[in-house]
Amino acid sequence: MHLGLDEPVRECQYNQICTRNSSPMETLSHKKKRTPRRKWQIFPGRNRFYCNGRVMMARQTGVFYLTLVLIMVTSGLFFAFDCPFLASNLTPAIPVIGGVLFLFVLGMLLRASFSDPGVLPRATPDEAADLERQMDAANGSSGPGYRPPPRIREVVINGQTVKLKYCFTCKIFRPPRASHCSLCDNCVERFDHHCPWVGNCVGKRNYRFFYLFILSLSFLTIFIFAFVITHVILRSNRSGFLNALKDSPARYPLTGREVVVCFFSVWSIVGLSGFHTYLISSNQTTNEDIKGSWSTKRAKNNYNPYSYGNVLTNCCAALCGPLHPSLIDRRGFIQPDTPQPLSHSNGSGLYPSTQNHTHMCDQEHCIQSTKFVLQAAATPLLHSDPVMMGRAGPPPSGKTSLGGPCSSLAPSQPSLPSSMPGLGCAGDMLTLRDPDAHCHHHHFVSPEEMPSPLGPSSLVLPFAAHGGHLNPAQLYDPASQDSLHEDSVRGLVKLSSV
Amino acid sequence: MNHSLQDIRQQAAISAKVFIQRDYTNGTVCQFQTKFPSELENRIDKQQFEETVRTLNNLYAEAEKLGGSSYLEGCLACLTAYTIFLCMETHYEKVLKKIAKFIQEQNDKIYAPRGLLLTDPIERGLRVVSFTKTLNSH
């Protein structure tokens, strides 16, 4: 009864505030038009971007800097202390070759570290929903014989059965040879391994740079090791071995340390290069080799379906094959009308998704219609909790008292359906807050919670999206139960995510 | 023509979409399934659809082809420490441009008049070819 009285009052309040809100929002969108955002700024994985999206690395880059320092210091010492002697006593070609090798090593290291390893962008909400539908259908139909679970698809490649797994984070069926890197929280094509020394994943796009890096680094370390030893030998020939070493600390203070670093590096890096040469020649990834996917120990007729048959073709394909473009388009500008991928990661991707939807909701009519629908959905909720909304009393205090639960609503992702009174307050608060916050609220229900299309509420909602005038009474059912409340909330979430 | 396509794109945001998934039977090469989806039955005929998808598949196969020219490009790039790609684009990128042109053409001639919009798979990370059913259908 008193709710009926309140409704027109609230409607008036709503209208007033709406016009007040529209001007700051217009300036906000105007400002945003001046500084358009690039896609790397809302990238859902755990990567770091530098130089306005041109450089892409993993989150932990400490070891990469260590690699850089080790290479530069060792090479620097070599050029500073050994090269003058060797250039004058043997040939000046030594520093030149050393210099070329050093530059090549650095170039390949930076290229491997800074480029996109072959990250697969996450599925858009439509695609994810389509796949879920297909999997539900597969689940429902039962038939005789062995049927793999719906989250796995089997493909026959070159006579071998390969299982494609469904990635819960990226919402896609992973292509063959792709794997999800837990450190970077991305699916990477032809995933080899995550290399902390390089500070990035090694995948399809940067495997050749990684291989050339370790190969050239092994040549460089062998080169430096050999010529440092040569230097010591030549000196000892002149003045005795012990004298040569005595001279070393005095004049060439770090020759001994260089030798030690080089000795250990040589064995580990040369070993790694050898291992990767074997992998390239048999067209396997480190991941497959470690799991023994194609070894004959698993099954007698197990073989690698990706191998081209001969070593030369495998090597050429890995090193001189076509360079695939990056699929994530990190420097592209965010288009407000294109669907953005879901970012259901371990929580770190959560906030980027809100900014994402902030952009999508910048269009005024989207916000208007969302407000209408949310308010309409909130109305049946208010009926069940008259204490909160009953007061026609002083609006400012009403605002502040309702502000509390709403601000706490923001981070609590799965609790939305249970916190009905919270949404009730959200319904009212949304009329009072700035438009961007709306999008924060209603996107927070995890995409997993979106059910298949529901009853009456979902039919009305798509029309609301056109900014059409929605009569709240259409959604309001005096005999509503909690399920309808939850349904309408979920329906709204589905609407917002389209 | 472009202007009307943009209008269609905006309206297409909330319409139904049909996704054509990747076909991995030939390995990791980019190929799409040529199986005709039932949702498009009353919009286009099967042959038209198959021809479009087959042409797309052929174009992607051309982009990823291993042959003399790709090896030459790879070796040259390696020798110049990959700086050559600052001046010229890779073979793959050239083919992607060809594909974009082909899709535009297909949309203009065949799909837009029937109320469908074909999106370039590169915009979806080469995962799917999506047909969007626009609202102004007949």
Side-chain angles (χ1 to χ4, degrees), chain A residues 76-310:
Chain A
L77 290 174
F78 175 72
F79 288 122
F81 297 111
D82 299 290
C83 278
F85 179 86
L86 291 165
S88 50
N89 290 1
L90 281 180
T91 161
I94 293 172
V96 171
I97 295 173
V100 167
L101 258 182
F102 170 70
L103 288 174
F104 191 74
V105 165
L106 265 192
M108 290 298 110
L109 171 64
L110 295 179
R111 196 73 206 231
S113 304
F114 294 167
S115 56
D116 168 17
V119 173
L120 285 168
R122 297 191 186 184
T124 56
D126 291 322
E127 288 173 50
D130 188 59
L131 275 180
E132 295 261 341
R133 234 191 338 261
Q134 284 180 26
M135 288 194 286
D136 288 339
N139 233 347
S141 62
S142 53
Y146 169 71
R147 188 181 285 271
R151 304 280 182 184
I152 292 184
R153 277 188 188 162
E154 287 192 350
V155 190
V156 176
I157 301 175
N158 268 341
Q160 280 277 62
T161 311
V162 176
K163 289 195 175 137
L164 305 182
K165 290 190 193 156
Y166 181 74
C167 181
F168 285 93
T169 313
C170 305
K171 310 269 183 191
I172 55 170
F173 274 96
R174 275 182 224 135
R177 313 190 95 178
S179 189
H180 190 94
C181 176
S182 48
L183 289 164
C184 303
D185 204 25
N186 290 317
C187 271
V188 179
E189 277 190 289
R190 202 187 180 279
F191 180 73
D192 197 83
H193 65 286
H194 181 100
C195 187
W197 299 96
V198 152
N200 206 354
C201 286
V202 177
K204 180 166 86 168
R205 294 187 77 243
N206 65 351
Y207 185 59
R208 71 190 70 189
F209 305 127
F210 173 75
Y211 178 72
L212 289 172
F213 164 62
I214 55 175
L215 194 66
S216 53
L217 186 63
S218 36
F219 286 138
L220 183 69
T221 49
I222 292 174
F223 184 85
I224 291 179
F225 190 62
F227 281 107
V228 163
I229 303 259
T230 311
H231 180 195
V232 173
I233 289 173
L234 287 177
R235 246 180 218 283
S236 70
N237 276 350
R238 288 185 193 178
S239 51
F241 186 65
L242 289 173
N243 282 342
L245 282 182
K246 257 191 247 169
D247 278 340
S248 303
R251 274 205 226 167
Y252 307 101
L254 297 161
T255 308
R257 280 181 221 179
E258 266 182 67
V259 171
V260 166
V261 168
C262 280
F263 184 75
F264 286 112
S265 318
V266 164
W267 286 114
S268 46
I269 292 173
V270 169
L272 191 64
S273 309
F275 173 62
H276 277 280
T277 310
Y278 158 70
L279 286 182
I280 284 184
S281 59
S282 60
N283 202 335
Q284 287 185 81
T285 62
T286 307
N287 207 16
E288 285 165 356
D289 187 72
I290 286 176
K291 288 184 190 166
S293 311
W294 314 121
S295 80
T296 44
K297 289 178 197 166
R298 260 199 197 201
K300 278 201 182 144
N301 55 351
N302 215 6
Y303 60 91
N304 184 1
Y306 310 109
S307 172
Y308 293 95
N310 72 349

Side-chain angles (χ1 to χ4, degrees), chain B residues 36-72:
Chain B
F36 187 60
S38 51
E39 296 97 330
L40 293 176
E41 248 160 37
N42 51 355
R43 299 250 187 167
I44 47 167
D45 49 69
K46 193 173 169 189
Q47 261 114 6
Q48 192 58 62
F49 168 82
E50 278 182 11
E51 203 194 295
T52 307
V53 180
R54 271 209 197 102
T55 315
L56 273 179
N57 284 344
N58 289 338
L59 284 168
Y60 282 115
E62 187 198 319
E64 299 188 24
K65 192 180 62 153
L66 294 172
S69 61
S70 72
Y71 291 151
L72 196 64

Side-chain angles (χ1 to χ4, degrees), chain A residues 121-122 126-127 157 320 325, chain B residues 17 24 70 82 92 124 127:
Chain A
R122 297 191 186 184
D126 291 322
E127 288 173 50
I157 301 175
C320 305
Chain B
K17 292 188 185 179
Y24 294 115
S70 72
Y82 297 92
Y92 208 111
R124 300 285 176 264
R127 290 183 305 261

